[in-house]
Amino acid sequence: MDAPIDLRSDTVTRPTAAMRAAIAAAPVGDDQYGEDPTTNELQSRCTALLGHEAALWLPSGTMANQVALRVLTRPGDEVITSREAHAGWHEAGASAANAGVQLVEVGRGGLFGADEFVAAIKPRGLPVFPPTTLVEIENTHNRGGGVVFAQAEVERICTAAHERGIACYLDGARLWNAAVASGRSEAELAAPFDLVGVSFSKGLGAPGGSLLAGSRALIQAAERQRRMLGGAMRQNGLFAAAALHALDHHRERLAEDHRHARVLAEALAASPAVELDLATVQTNIVVFRLASGAPDAATLVARARERGVLLNAFAARTVRAVTHLDVSGAQVERAAAILSELLG
Ligand SMILES: *Cc1c(COP(=O)(O)O)cnc(C)c1O
């Protein structure tokens, strides 16, 4: 059989030959002395790209989120997030264990409005309530199906937050996809936030690495937290070189992944076994529900695997498919045909 068509995640991408060459050629030094030239170049490139004063490389998006929580909150604080935010669902309880915060989910489908945010803020001035000190927005939203947060709403939320002394964090692991889909620059999308996290290991196709951007003072605090969590590295330029290569060569092509997700989604939506709002398919992620009477998620994932298509079971009747660098247009067509056949 041919190699499987792996739609489980955009994290499964492997470095291309050109990326491996960039890694091999990278000048390196000890990053904890600030002497890794390639990491320094990546950080300064990203301050410009994200429109913030300073930036810090981190090994993973989870660590970026956790460091951000520790910089912007204190134990016992409350953080308002979208429903099914990565920080609450995919980080193994880290937000509670590392930062000691409790998360309150608002809105639907990964999105929420400024009114919902303001209504969820705990009243001030009474010692019984946990202080709401942070709002976190995920853009694009993973479990929401890769949806892009409306920028006008982002601005309203962050203005309302700052007026009340509440900090704003953007989990932008897939901010690159949001930029391509919305036609807005990463800097514009990142502007309303105090700290912004981005990943190089999702759609951009690097083997690892994320980054936080913000003011000099916040990034200095983040550097200490990174060290405390064990995430400070040494000759990190090997990873930074991959990220720089990805920024140069894999950013604009995300539009192709978005077109592929659309092809897949339209084929899936044509099946009566599938519940899928095509309006949610805005980037490279397709999250769909299997109707009652249809096979459940585990069954569909197993049957698809037998036919060489890998998917992710997100819940009992919810499945995720993600397009990326290592899936061609022809493979997407084939996956769509196989899934249509399996679903009837
Ligand atoms: C993948 C992801 C992360 C975490 O990234 P890792 O590198 O896997 O730790 C954070 N936020 C979102 C929205 C993600 O999709």
Side-chain angles (χ1 to χ4, degrees):
M1 198 166 84
D2 294 333
I5 301 168
D6 196 343
L7 301 173
R8 287 173 302 169
S9 177
D10 46 9
T11 57
V12 302
T13 49
R14 276 167 293 211
T16 61
M19 183 181 279
R20 285 172 182 269
I23 293 168
V28 296
D30 191 328
D31 186 44
Q32 289 196 53
Y33 291 99
E35 290 172 3
D36 187 280
T38 312
T39 300
N40 290 342
E41 185 187 338
L42 175 67
Q43 289 171 168
S44 87
R45 173 107 179 254
C46 287
T47 59
L49 201 53
L50 298 171
H52 282 267
E53 248 174 30
L56 182 73
W57 188 92
L58 296 113
S60 72
T62 298
M63 195 182 284
N65 285 351
Q66 293 304 314
V67 164
L69 286 176
R70 285 175 51 142
V71 168
L72 297 173
T73 66
R74 301 182 62 179
D77 286 0
E78 194 156 277
V79 178
I80 296 175
T81 71
S82 54
R83 298 226 182 266
E84 302 193 25
H86 196 279
W89 281 64
H90 287 216
E91 297 180 16
S95 303
N98 287 329
V101 294
Q102 55 192 36
L103 305 180
V104 174
E105 295 186 349
V106 298
R108 74 211 60 76
L111 308 174
F112 57 92
D115 293 348
E116 289 167 294
F117 159 62
V118 170
I121 297 169
K122 290 285 192 287
R124 295 280 166 87
L126 267 180
V128 296
F129 294 116
T132 304
T133 55
L134 179 67
V135 59
E136 180 184 306
I137 287 176
E138 189 175 312
N139 194 13
T140 68
H141 199 284
N142 178 14
R143 295 187 64 94
V147 289
V148 178
F149 218 103
Q151 193 60 14
E153 206 59 45
V154 167
E155 284 162 11
R156 277 194 285 275
I157 291 165
C158 293
T159 301
H162 287 141
E163 280 170 3
R164 291 162 177 80
I166 295 171
C168 303
Y169 174 58
L170 171 61
D171 177 356
R174 294 191 182 81
L175 192 66
W176 321 110
N177 298 82
V180 165
S182 66
R184 295 172 192 266
S185 70
E186 288 83 356
E188 186 185 351
L189 299 176
F193 296 90
D194 299 288
L195 275 178
V196 182
V198 293
S199 284
F200 305 111
S201 60
K202 301 280 170 83
L204 289 189
S210 283
L211 176 135
L212 281 174
S215 68
R216 262 186 212 97
L218 288 178
I219 291 302
Q220 203 172 5
E223 193 172 356
R224 171 165 183 238
Q225 295 297 333
R226 180 182 72 173
R227 177 72 185 174
M228 286 176 78
L229 290 174
M233 309 248 292
R234 302 293 181 177
Q235 285 72 35
N236 183 60
L238 303 181
F239 281 106
L244 283 165
H245 179 86
L247 289 175
D248 285 335
H249 301 285
H250 295 170
R251 204 141 52 95
E252 283 170 21
R253 64 152 305 285
L254 292 172
E256 194 181 315
D257 297 342
H258 298 178
R259 283 194 296 276
H260 289 166
R262 194 79 207 168
V263 167
L264 193 64
E266 282 173 4
L268 286 164
S271 164
V274 169
E275 292 167 4
L276 169 58
D277 178 2
L278 284 173
T280 65
V281 185
Q282 299 167 7
T283 58
N284 67 327
I285 300 179
V286 185
V287 172
F288 58 98
R289 257 188 65 78
L290 294 159
S292 56
D296 66 6
T299 307
L300 177 68
V301 168
R303 287 181 188 162
R305 180 178 277 274
E306 282 168 18
R307 301 285 305 274
V309 177
L310 308 186
L311 304 167
N312 208 323
F314 246 22
R317 308 199 69 82
T318 307
V319 177
R320 185 184 73 169
V322 186
T323 56
H324 53 78
L325 188 60
D326 286 354
V327 184
S328 69
Q331 287 176 313
V332 166
E333 301 270 2
R334 203 161 92 232
I338 290 168
L339 293 175
S340 299
E341 198 187 309
L342 290 174
L343 288 162

